[in-house]
């Protein structure tokens, strides 16, 4: 299968669904991860242009560890607006490039505007990308496929309907998160937050909910033609 995971910023995917993507790669899936923005505003000291380059390298290192392809949506932080044609067409091109059998993205009620904008943008573009006469830079037509919403930060207001056992890959997931040094180190040194420990704790909590040591939770987008009776996640 072709798996497309779309996060707002570099590190969002590692936080919420990297364990699942590692397991997808292990079973032979082609996995494409799109970071919609370059994360250029994700620091209070490092200038945006410099930070964007640093975060790109961090994202590539994390992706290499899991064996998935890393691409970019073309946005800067807080420039991701879902209600304009340019943004939608950029996301259509991402979907047509990956030609996914399923898409993973942010929940529509997550905690910050880039996340919720990406969620809505993916929902809109995933339909638009199926129309062969809707022309963007990337020709062709994608399939209409299920969308799985990944967990919110710290699981706030998110009730999963599906779980993936990531016990065998939890250590690699956290190693991938550690690749994002500009985020993790700053939070440890200045905010006194051990972000990987929080992610491990949340994965442990999801594991309690489904009877394994560590898990990631998802909720399928339940609208007409996007549901499926098949088990597509690992």
């Amino acid at each position: 299968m072709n798996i497309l995971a779309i996060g707002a910023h570099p590190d969002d995917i590692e936080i919420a669904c990297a364990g699942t993507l590692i397991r997808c790669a292990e079973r032979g899936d082609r996995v494409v991860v799109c970071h919609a923005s370059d994360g250029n505003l994700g620091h209070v000291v490092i200038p945006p242009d410099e930070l964007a380059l640093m975060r790109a390298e961090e994202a590539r290192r994390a992706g290499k560890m899991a064996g998935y392809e890393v691409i970019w949506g073309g946005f800067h932080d807080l420039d991701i607006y879902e209600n304009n044609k340019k943004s939608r067409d950029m996301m259509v091109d991402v979907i047509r490039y990956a030609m996914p059998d399923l898409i993973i993205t942010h929940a529509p009620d997550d905690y910050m505007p880039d996340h919720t904008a990406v969620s809505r943008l993916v929902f809109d573009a995933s339909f638009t990308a199926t129309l062969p006469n809707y022309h963007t830079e990337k020709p062709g037509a994608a399939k209409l496929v299920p969308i799985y919403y990944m967990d919110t930060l710290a699981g706030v207001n998110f009730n999963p309907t599906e779980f993936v056992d990531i016990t065998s890959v939890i250590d690699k997931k956290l190693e991938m998160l550690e690749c994002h040094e500009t985020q993790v180190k700053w939070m440890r040194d200045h905010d006194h937050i051990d972000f990987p420990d929080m992610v491990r704790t949340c994965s442990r909590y999801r594991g309690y909910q489904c009877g394994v040591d560590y898990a990631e939770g998802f909720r399928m987008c339940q609208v007409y033609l996007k549901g499926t009776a098949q088990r597509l996640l690992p």
Side-chain angles (χ1 to χ4, degrees), residues 91-106:
M91 193 58 67
V92 166
D93 286 339
V94 166
I95 293 169
R96 286 177 172 171
Y97 169 79
M99 289 294 184
D101 295 298
L102 67 90
I103 299 172
I104 298 172
T105 194
H106 292 287

Side-chain angles (χ1 to χ4, degrees), residues 66-197:
Y68 58 61
E69 180 182 357
V70 175
I71 63 174
W72 303 90
F75 298 93
H76 295 311
D77 284 3
L78 296 178
D79 282 345
I80 308 173
Y81 299 110
E82 77 275 16
N83 58 345
N84 68 81
K85 186 177 186 300
K86 180 181 177 181
S87 295
R88 184 179 63 196
D89 288 358
M90 290 168 71
M91 193 58 67
V92 166
D93 286 339
V94 166
I95 293 169
R96 286 177 172 171
Y97 169 79
M99 289 294 184
D101 295 298
L102 67 90
I103 299 172
I104 298 172
T105 194
H106 292 287
D109 54 352
D110 208 345
Y111 82 108
M112 65 96 69
D114 280 350
H115 289 201
T116 56
V118 165
S119 181
R120 184 65 194 183
L121 193 58
V122 170
F123 180 87
D124 292 349
S126 66
F127 178 84
T128 307
T130 68
L131 305 176
N133 291 320
Y134 186 88
H135 301 294
T136 63
E137 291 186 6
K138 190 74 176 175
K143 297 184 294 185
L144 189 63
V145 300
I147 295 174
Y148 291 86
Y149 295 128
M150 57 192 181
D151 218 336
T152 59
L153 194 65
V156 175
N157 291 325
F158 189 86
N159 293 312
T161 57
E162 297 195 40
F163 295 91
V164 175
D165 182 355
I166 63 164
T167 304
S168 64
V169 297
I170 182 64
D171 290 337
K172 181 178 283 190
K173 170 187 169 77
L174 296 176
E175 287 175 24
M176 291 168 63
L177 182 56
E178 292 279 5
C179 289
H180 297 274
E181 295 176 9
T182 58
Q183 309 304 296
V184 173
K185 188 176 186 302
W186 177 267
M187 293 183 73
R188 282 192 179 122
D189 293 347
H190 296 272
D191 298 331
H192 307 293
I193 297 172
D194 189 334
F195 207 60
D197 181 69

